[in-house]
Amino acid sequence: MTMKHPQHAKWPQLATLAKRLLPSLSLLACTGAAAALPPLYVDPQSTAAIWAVNNPSDGRVTDIRNRIANQPGARWFGGWSGEIGAAVGHFVGTAWYYGRTPVLVAYNIPARDCGQYSAGGAGSLQAYRDWIRAFATAVGNRPAIVVLEPDALPQLDCLDAAGKSARLELLRYAVAQFAALAPGAYLYLDIGNSAWLTPAEAATRLVDAGVAGARGFALNVSNYRTDAESNPYGVAVANALRQRGLEKTFVVDTSRNGNGPNGTQWCDPAGRKLGVAPRVNPAGSTPEMVLWIKSPGESDGCAAPAGTFSPDLAYKMIYGY
C-alpha cells in the first residue's frame, strides 16, 4: 500500500509551474525571502508514515498519522542512504515534481557525535568531500532546505587540534559546494541549542565554518528547548554575526519542544510534547522558519536504537506524557 497525497490530481500542473519558476527560486535562495518558497514537503516515506501504513488497526494510528506523519518533516541522509547522489536526487526530485520544498539533513561528518549514540560518519576526509559534493550536485538548481551536520560545531571540543581544524575545513568545503552546485538550496549550519554555547562563541564557530556562504544557522535540532529560549538566543547569535559584518537568519527545530526540556535529560526524556507545526514565517521574521528536523517518535538512543521509530514515544509526545 502506498500513501497518496490529497492533491495528487494537481501534481502535473504543479510540476509544470515549478519548472517555469525554477530560475527565480534559485535566485531567492541567495537574495529573497523564504516565504517565497513552495510549500514544505510532507514525506510519505517518513518513519511515522511507514509505521501508520503498516499498522492500520493500531489504536494510536489516527493520532500518529494526523499529528505527526502528515506534517512536513526532514529526511536525514548519511552512510545508510546508499549512493548519496541517487538518494538525494530522488527525494528532492519527487518534492520538486509535486511543487513542494523538501527539508534535508546532511549527517555524515567523520567522528560524528563524538562516538556516542549516533557515532559514525564518513571514513576519511576525502570520503566526506566526495559525499557532500555528490549531495550538493544532486540538489542542483531545485529549491530545498538543507541543515548541515547537526552537532558538528558544538561538539568541536571533543576533538584534538588537528581534528578541529579538519572538521572546520570540511564544513567550509561543504558550504562552498552548495553555493556552487546547489544555488536553489537554503543552507543552514547547525550550532546546537540555547543551553550549549554562548552567542559569541556560537558566532565564532559559525564564522570559522564558513557561514558567510550559507543562508544562516539552525537551532535546537533534536532538542527540547522552548521557543521562548531558542528565539532570543537565535537573535543574539545573529547579532553577534552582524558585529562581524554578516547578516544571517536562522531556523528552529520545534518538533519536540512543546513542554520544554526535562531538566538535563536529553535522551528520550519522559513528558515531552510536540511543538508548533512546521511553517515558513512571513518575510523579516525571526526565526524565518520553524521546522520539524527531528522526527517526533524517533528515539534518541535510549528507548530504542537511535533513529528508530517508537509508536509509544510518538503517542506520548502528542499528548505530553
Side-chain angles (χ1 to χ4, degrees):
M1 178 179 179
T2 52
M3 297 185 65
K4 296 187 182 296
H5 194 288
Q7 293 182 319
H8 62 278
K10 298 181 180 179
W11 286 346
Q13 296 96 317
L14 288 169
T16 300
L17 178 61
K19 291 175 183 176
R20 291 174 179 171
L21 293 177
L22 192 54
S24 298
L25 292 171
S26 297
L27 180 61
L28 281 167
C30 299
T31 62
L37 284 169
L40 298 175
Y41 179 56
V42 177
D43 182 5
Q45 296 298 313
S46 70
T47 53
I50 292 170
W51 180 87
V53 168
N54 291 335
N55 296 273
S57 61
D58 192 293
R60 302 164 293 187
V61 70
T62 299
D63 281 325
I64 290 175
R65 180 190 297 116
N66 292 342
R67 298 290 300 279
I68 298 176
N70 287 347
Q71 294 292 336
R75 183 180 291 189
W76 293 54
F77 293 85
W80 60 85
S81 302
E83 201 284 303
I84 192 62
V88 169
H90 181 267
F91 184 64
V92 175
T94 302
W96 172 71
Y97 182 79
Y98 297 142
R100 299 291 186 264
T101 302
V103 182
L104 303 86
V105 180
Y107 195 52
N108 200 35
I109 200 83
R112 187 179 63 212
D113 200 32
C114 293
Q116 299 181 84
Y117 291 102
S118 297
S124 69
L125 303 184
Q126 188 56 49
Y128 184 78
R129 293 187 193 99
D130 294 342
W131 186 86
I132 201 67
R133 181 177 178 84
F135 191 124
T137 300
V139 173
N141 289 325
R142 295 169 294 198
I145 298 161
V146 180
V147 176
L148 185 62
E149 299 298 342
D151 295 343
L153 281 173
Q155 288 182 335
L156 277 177
D157 297 325
C158 78
L159 304 172
D160 61 19
K164 291 177 183 178
S165 177
R167 176 164 292 185
L168 290 170
E169 184 277 325
L170 289 180
L171 292 172
R172 290 192 295 269
Y173 180 86
V175 171
Q177 298 314 296
F178 280 96
L181 302 171
Y186 281 51
L187 182 68
Y188 301 91
L189 278 69
D190 178 79
I191 195 58
N193 62 71
S194 57
W196 206 328
L197 303 172
T198 67
E201 178 61 22
T204 295
R205 297 190 188 195
L206 286 165
V207 170
D208 290 345
V211 74
R215 176 79 179 183
F217 55 94
L219 296 176
N220 204 48
V221 172
S222 299
N223 212 275
Y224 302 90
R225 297 287 159 182
T226 64
D227 295 345
E229 295 177 75
S230 296
N231 296 350
Y233 176 76
V235 170
V237 174
N239 286 339
L241 289 170
R242 186 173 297 112
Q243 292 173 3
R244 300 163 191 238
L246 297 176
E247 291 289 337
K248 296 298 170 183
T249 187
F250 64 97
V251 299
V252 175
D253 184 356
T254 60
S255 58
R256 309 187 298 174
N257 73 347
N259 279 349
N262 185 357
T264 60
Q265 297 180 42
W266 63 268
C267 191
D268 299 324
R272 302 312 91 206
K273 192 175 184 180
L274 301 178
V276 298
R279 66 171 185 260
V280 177
N281 288 324
S285 299
T286 51
E288 71 170 351
M289 304 180 208
V290 294
L291 302 172
W292 282 13
I293 300 171
K294 173 74 173 183
S295 183
E298 288 188 357
S299 174
D300 294 318
C302 291
T308 301
F309 182 78
S310 165
D312 188 52
L313 283 177
Y315 190 75
K316 289 179 178 179
M317 196 162 286
I318 290 170
Y319 292 102
Y321 59 81

